[in-house]
Amino acid sequence: QVQLVESGGGLVQAGGSLRLSCAASGRTFSSYAMGWFRQAPGKEREFVAAISWSGGTTHYADSVKGRFTISRDNAKNTVYLQMNSLKPEDTAVYYCAATTRFIANMRIDFGSWGQGTQVTVSS
């Protein structure tokens, strides 16, 4: 298991940017692929982005493609989510998660989760 702690959420106006961070501790971070999910009030938790252990492969949900960028720094045991051109519909609690698969986009494939960080985008 790996322990995950998200940070960087907050309130931003539409069109603005935020960068989320997820710090990992525990077992070797570089052996995990990482993902970001989000959950808006009254909705299911949904996939946002994922990155392979090396950072060489990334996947994005269609709703964020071209606006969000996932990256990782294995030396710092941290994964990031750069969010640009934010929209009110991006408002949600954002979670990072770890998987032992090469890469994944389904909740069931991720075995470790952080506690989440709130992102609120005002119109």
Side-chain angles (χ1 to χ4, degrees):
Q1 288 283 345
V2 61
Q3 289 75 48
L4 305 171
V5 179
E6 303 95 336
S7 61
L11 174 64
V12 64
Q13 289 188 332
S17 298
L18 280 176
R19 188 177 80 156
L20 305 183
S21 300
C22 174
S25 60
R27 295 184 62 184
T28 307
F29 174 70
S30 60
S31 66
Y32 291 89
M34 300 297 294
W36 286 96
F37 289 75
R38 66 187 181 186
Q39 188 167 17
K43 294 189 176 182
E44 294 288 321
R45 192 172 300 187
E46 64 176 4
F47 170 76
V48 174
I51 189 167
S52 61
W53 67 270
S54 69
T57 301
T58 56
H59 289 172
Y60 295 94
D62 288 342
S63 59
V64 306
K65 204 171 291 184
R67 299 188 299 123
F68 291 10
T69 303
I70 189 171
S71 62
R72 66 189 297 159
D73 185 339
N74 287 343
K76 295 183 178 179
N77 285 4
T78 302
V79 62
Y80 305 97
L81 185 68
Q82 178 67 43
M83 305 185 296
N84 298 329
S85 302
L86 282 161
K87 304 175 182 180
E89 52 263 44
D90 294 319
T91 295
V93 177
Y94 283 71
Y95 299 88
C96 75
T99 178
T100 55
R101 292 183 176 269
F102 173 72
I103 197 168
N105 61 6
M106 297 179 65
R107 288 178 57 184
I108 195 171
D109 291 325
F110 290 81
S112 299
W113 292 83
Q115 83 290 347
T117 185
Q118 176 71 48
V119 171
T120 302
V121 184
S122 63
S123 57

